[in-house]
Amino acid sequence: MNPTLPVMMQAVTYADPGAPDVMTLSDVPVPAPKEGEVLVRVMAAGVNRPDIMQRQGLYPPPPGASPILGLEIAGEVVARGPGIPDDAFPALGARVCALSNGGGYAQYCTVPAGQCLPWPSGFDALHAAALPETFFTIWSNIFMTASMRAGDRVLIHGGSSGIGTVAIQLVRQMGGIAYATAGTPEKTELCTAIGADAAINYRTEDFVTRIAELTDGKGVNIILDMIGGSYLERNLKCLAPEGRLVIIALQGGARAENIGLARIMTRRLVVTGTTLRPRSSAYKAEIARQLEQHVWPLLEKKAVRPLIHATFPLARVADAHKLMENGTHSGKILLNLQTS
């Protein structure tokens, strides 16, 4: 590794799982990039729901991944491991955003080279760090797994979240019709302002009834769901024949009971779920390739944009987690290491 790089760095650590205040800043060794990896000097990192679950002891990192929290970063490549061709992206000095396998809440982070993307033109570190986890998740689930096509009707739960706000925009840009659920009038207004054809306040309206009204009883072709068990029966009722339900989180529970399976059979529905973190580097590199081809041009012409709700210095990581847990945010929560 480059001898001019520091041996130690600051990173967020915790001794035992627990509440946000278990996290602290510690001095730990700077990681060395392995075969096919690059070392990135982190300028900004995203805060995501899997980070909360890992801190609580509910989502252990996969074998070989860094135990340090953080799945998306933006920064500068400062070292390259063996096995990367000299002329391959990213070069030393390149400014990249990357989907990491862990380790993002730190001053330096190693990432497989194929999981890196260039900063879109005009982006700074914070806006670049808001991209990877959200865009990889949405593209792989709505466009790869659920095969969205122009004209498809898509219901997006959690429409005001970081994932939801981008999903609405991408569905609209790709010719789909986006519907969203959110929990306050302000959040539903945000959803429609960024492109949702309709937004449903799930606290005051029955989204099954509203979807039937909005689609003239046809239902939606795709549902992107981060709630899980408590929504399963209602989600099935919203789907059109041959509709696809993709479950990406379980905020409403991991179990569903007394579900009528006949609807799945008679309407030829597909119910699937994914977690991105354990997938292979080759799969994630393919997502990155498709994003650069199909989505990065939209970012560069400002047709799609990540929404940033709040930023915190690394030392205030507990406050960032508390904000995510209380659910009042709309858009992304980021850690700014340039001010730490």
Side-chain angles (χ1 to χ4, degrees), residues 10-326:
Q10 283 203 311
V12 174
T13 63
Y14 54 92
D16 296 297
D21 291 328
V22 301
M23 296 182 293
T24 187
L25 283 182
S26 302
D27 289 325
V28 302
V30 173
K34 300 175 184 175
E35 181 90 14
E37 292 183 339
V38 297
L39 179 67
V40 178
R41 179 174 63 83
V42 179
M43 299 178 183
V47 175
N48 293 286
R49 188 70 55 179
D51 304 339
I52 306 295
M53 294 175 63
Q54 182 177 333
R55 188 207 74 226
Q56 294 170 335
L58 303 174
Y59 189 46
S66 171
I68 295 171
L69 300 175
L71 299 176
E72 63 181 344
I73 59 170
E76 178 186 3
V77 175
V78 294
R80 301 191 341 152
I84 303 174
D86 292 342
D87 59 350
F89 177 84
L92 282 176
R95 294 203 161 182
V96 299
C97 54
L99 183 74
S100 71
N101 298 328
Y105 290 12
Q107 291 176 312
Y108 293 88
C109 179
T110 55
V111 185
Q115 295 170 210
C116 295
L117 285 157
W119 292 10
S121 176
F123 273 52
D124 59 16
L126 288 169
H127 287 83
L131 300 177
E133 173 73 9
T134 297
F135 280 77
F136 275 69
T137 297
I138 294 163
W139 189 263
S140 63
N141 284 290
I142 294 180
F143 298 95
M144 295 171 70
T145 298
S147 303
M148 197 210 96
R149 299 291 182 263
D152 278 350
R153 299 177 298 276
V154 184
L155 173 59
I156 299 153
H157 290 303
S160 64
S161 66
I163 283 178
T165 51
V166 170
I168 290 167
Q169 296 176 75
L170 279 181
V171 166
R172 186 68 177 268
Q173 286 295 318
M174 297 300 175
I177 300 166
Y179 304 114
T181 61
T184 68
E186 294 77 16
K187 290 182 176 182
T188 57
E189 288 173 12
L190 171 63
C191 292
T192 54
I194 60 175
D197 285 69
I200 303 160
N201 186 334
Y202 63 82
R203 298 185 192 277
T204 60
E205 301 176 276
D206 175 25
F207 69 79
V208 177
T209 300
R210 287 290 291 131
I211 288 297
E213 294 169 351
L214 291 164
T215 64
D216 295 325
K218 297 175 183 176
V220 294
N221 305 105
I222 297 168
I223 300 176
L224 184 69
D225 176 48
M226 54 191 74
I227 306 302
S230 64
Y231 270 20
L232 180 58
E233 180 79 22
R234 285 179 283 172
N235 279 334
L236 295 177
K237 291 178 179 179
C238 290
L239 284 172
E242 300 184 354
R244 289 86 75 196
L245 167 61
V246 185
I247 301 169
I248 61 169
L250 300 170
Q251 296 177 32
R255 298 185 67 84
E257 298 179 358
N258 300 317
I259 303 300
L261 299 180
R263 182 181 297 271
I264 297 175
M265 298 167 64
T266 59
R267 296 173 74 84
R268 304 175 302 282
L269 305 180
V270 175
V271 179
T272 187
T274 64
T275 53
L276 186 55
R277 191 176 188 184
R279 299 298 293 267
S280 70
S281 293
Y283 179 75
K284 295 173 187 175
E286 174 58 22
I287 301 171
R289 187 195 66 78
Q290 292 193 25
L291 285 171
E292 188 165 12
Q293 178 182 353
H294 298 291
V295 177
W296 257 229
L298 297 175
L299 291 166
E300 294 188 345
K301 67 181 185 180
K302 297 180 172 58
V304 175
R305 61 191 175 95
L307 302 186
I308 295 176
H309 180 87
T311 63
F312 297 86
L314 193 61
R316 290 184 58 202
V317 63
D319 292 330
H321 275 223
K322 290 172 184 176
L323 174 59
M324 174 157 280
E325 287 183 337
N326 71 31

